[in-house]
Amino acid sequence: MSDEIKKGLLGIVVDETEVSKVMPEINSLTYRGYAAQDLCAKCKFEEVAYLILNGELPSKKQLTAFEKMERKNRKLSKTLLDDLKKIPKKAHPMDVARTAVSIMGLEDKETRDNSSKANMRKAMRIFSKTPVALAAFYRARKGKKIIPPKKNLSFSENFFHMCFGKVPNKDIVKAFDVSLILYAEHSFNVSTFTARTITSSLSDIHGAITGAIASLKGPLHGGANEEVMHMMNKIKKPEKAHKWINKALDNKDVIMGFGHRVYKSGDSRVPTMREYFGKVAKIKKDKKFERIYDIVEKVMIERKNIHPNVDYPTGPTYHLMGFDTDFFTPIFVISRITGWSAHIMEQHAANKLIRPLASYKGSKYRKVVQLNQR
Ligand code: COA
């Protein structure tokens, strides 16, 4: 066996998957063989969630049953709701999401059952309840009354309703839905690999998703959409964007929302999300962030040949929709739960304990000298 170290597992194929693949020949990220941008154009998020979890797009009847189940599972226990009200208001909502899923694991009657049927039922419960828990915290930390979910609203409509007490116009809801579709799955990224690693010891789905949320929080992964907004707020005005980005590059700063481990000449999800970002900016009559977006992107490509990733357009889109900046990555969570769950089920179905080796660089063998002789 070669001792060559592949830091960050760069270029290493560690397992097989049927869930998703980047297909360079069609320049697309595909879920179960379907291009993500095609799914954005023709499906709502619930259809894509069904596809990722079940392997096929649903028939009308299957979709109705899936939506009914998703809506039925939305209710949180009184304990979880009370806990959410008690969480420190300054806590990061990603930590709240992680804690909420962990508490769901304490309460779920099937936590220890890792059979594929129980895993699917648990995945559905986590999928339905996590947005409700996050929206409850969104309200509670502002001292506002928690808004319960409504069964007559879609996944996306209901999230707006629970956060803001109203559902925006259908184009804004569609833009949100599209962002969820684009965030739903992305093969062996770090949070998914974390979920699969946890699962590989035959641990359970609540533990695996809790770990995945912790992994997604980092700014090199999901946390980038939040960082993009901080960057745009620092830039403040389109007139300052050119100077700001050039100075940042001169300083050799890492620019959030740019670059990708897999895509080296552009993230295939960006054009779709950029289009919906533009639509939302038009509806909100606020073009400032679009102008900053275009200037920073142009300089990044010209000077570094580094293209934006999907977090670049989602950040300002969520801002224009009215979400607090620290809620951008939690929105990523409510979507990616589908991808993580599919991978956790795949790992359980054909498991091999994930246990790599390390090249040891520490001290040579030495004898322990007792405390009074040291
Ligand atoms: N800003 C500035 N330079 C960047 C960059 C960025 N966003 N992304 C990559 N680079 C540069 C690196 O500095 C490196 O330059 P060097 O060869 O002169 O050292 C080169 O491009 C290769 O980057 P590297 O970090 O080795 O690529 P990677 O595949 O390990 O990393 C990311 C990919 C995503 C971690 C990296 O692009 C990044 O940190 N991006 C910002 C965070 C982000 O948006 N994350 C969301 C990903 S979906």
Side-chain angles (χ1 to χ4, degrees):
M1 200 188 289
S2 150
D3 275 349
E4 193 195 347
I5 298 168
K6 295 278 189 182
K7 249 184 143 48
L9 299 179
L10 204 81
I12 300 285
V13 178
V14 292
D15 208 338
E16 296 176 325
T17 182
E18 293 181 2
V19 188
S20 70
K21 177 178 167 34
V22 174
M23 292 189 186
E25 63 277 21
I26 54 164
N27 191 30
S28 286
L29 165 64
T30 55
Y31 304 156
R32 309 279 188 188
Y34 296 106
Q37 57 269 50
D38 215 8
L39 292 166
C40 288
K42 295 177 189 138
C43 300
K44 60 196 253 196
F45 175 59
E46 285 88 333
E47 290 172 76
V48 178
Y50 182 99
L51 169 73
I52 291 171
L53 289 169
N54 295 282
E56 294 296 336
L57 280 169
S59 64
K60 261 192 185 160
K61 199 172 151 203
Q62 286 167 327
L63 181 63
T64 307
F66 181 80
E67 288 183 324
K68 202 170 159 201
M69 181 62 73
E70 187 273 305
R71 292 172 193 206
K72 191 179 135 222
N73 279 330
R74 285 175 185 171
K75 198 169 177 333
L76 303 185
S77 71
K78 188 175 173 312
T79 316
L80 178 51
L81 262 177
D82 287 348
D83 287 345
L84 287 163
K85 285 181 208 160
K86 281 185 234 148
I87 280 175
K89 289 186 172 38
K90 286 201 171 141
H92 195 287
M94 283 300 278
D95 298 335
V96 176
R98 173 172 51 70
T99 305
V101 173
S102 202
I103 294 172
M104 286 173 211
L106 303 177
E107 296 179 327
D108 200 295
K109 54 189 182 300
E110 295 188 291
T111 298
R112 288 188 198 160
D113 185 349
N114 288 332
S115 66
S116 53
K117 284 192 173 155
N119 269 343
M120 184 63 90
R121 287 191 291 270
K122 288 188 282 183
M124 280 303 291
R125 289 194 278 273
I126 299 168
F127 176 56
S128 301
K129 290 183 202 305
T130 307
V132 185
L134 278 164
F137 179 67
Y138 193 90
R139 306 274 307 174
R141 74 172 180 179
K142 292 174 193 281
K144 291 185 173 167
K145 211 168 160 266
I146 290 173
I147 302 175
K150 260 190 177 172
K151 277 198 178 148
N152 63 337
L153 297 178
S154 73
F155 188 91
S156 292
E157 288 169 342
N158 185 51
F159 193 65
F160 280 106
H161 159 73
M162 293 185 300
C163 290
F164 304 119
K166 56 183 181 218
V167 177
N169 86 34
K170 65 175 184 11
D171 294 325
I172 302 262
V173 175
K174 176 64 187 171
F176 188 76
D177 228 55
V178 161
S179 76
L180 296 184
I181 294 174
L182 295 173
Y183 268 147
E185 162 56 14
H186 211 182
S187 195
F188 276 45
N189 56 81
V190 55
S191 60
T192 302
F193 190 61
T194 302
R196 290 191 75 128
T197 304
I198 293 171
T199 307
S200 82
S201 72
L202 297 183
S203 190
D204 54 76
I205 190 168
H206 285 89
I209 292 186
T210 300
I213 294 171
S215 165
L216 188 74
K217 182 185 175 192
L220 297 189
H221 191 13
N225 58 9
E226 187 179 325
E227 297 298 329
V228 166
M229 205 57 229
H230 292 312
M231 175 180 80
M232 293 207 171
N233 283 330
K234 266 188 230 157
I235 295 175
K236 282 196 186 96
K237 294 177 181 170
E239 298 74 41
K240 295 191 171 174
H242 206 269
K243 194 169 166 203
W244 192 94
I245 183 66
N246 275 304
K247 195 169 165 211
L249 289 179
D250 291 345
N251 286 343
K252 305 217 171 313
D253 291 348
V254 172
I255 311 302
M256 291 297 155
F258 284 84
H260 201 276
R261 174 60 64 81
V262 179
Y263 302 109
K264 295 298 177 197
S265 54
D267 177 337
S268 66
R269 300 166 294 179
V270 168
T272 310
M273 200 58 229
R274 173 68 185 87
E275 183 192 331
Y276 281 91
F277 166 39
K279 287 183 186 189
V280 173
K282 197 169 172 201
I283 295 166
K284 295 286 177 185
K285 298 190 175 60
D286 186 344
K287 297 268 182 181
K288 180 177 97 176
F289 294 110
E290 256 194 309
R291 285 173 57 209
I292 294 176
Y293 179 108
D294 289 340
I295 296 165
V296 171
E297 180 188 35
K298 191 164 175 281
V299 175
M300 280 301 283
I301 295 173
E302 274 170 11
R303 275 192 64 178
K304 301 278 291 182
N305 195 26
I306 297 178
H307 293 257
N309 57 58
V310 73
D311 291 318
Y312 191 52
T314 52
T317 309
Y318 291 151
H319 174 81
L320 289 170
M321 287 172 174
F323 290 105
D324 296 343
T325 306
D326 60 0
F327 255 73
F328 297 178
T329 319
I331 295 171
F332 191 158
V333 168
I334 65 175
S335 159
R336 186 55 67 88
I337 282 169
T338 58
W340 290 330
S341 301
H343 280 278
I344 290 163
M345 290 188 271
E346 202 173 62
Q347 184 73 35
H348 266 306
N351 189 52
K352 178 86 178 164
L353 180 74
I354 297 172
R355 205 301 187 190
L357 299 173
S359 169
Y360 180 64
K361 294 279 184 242
S363 299
K364 284 193 185 132
Y365 169 72
R366 43 190 173 161
K367 287 215 161 89
V368 177
V369 178
Q370 283 195 322
L371 187 60
N372 58 3
Q373 290 163 8
R374 254 177 265 152

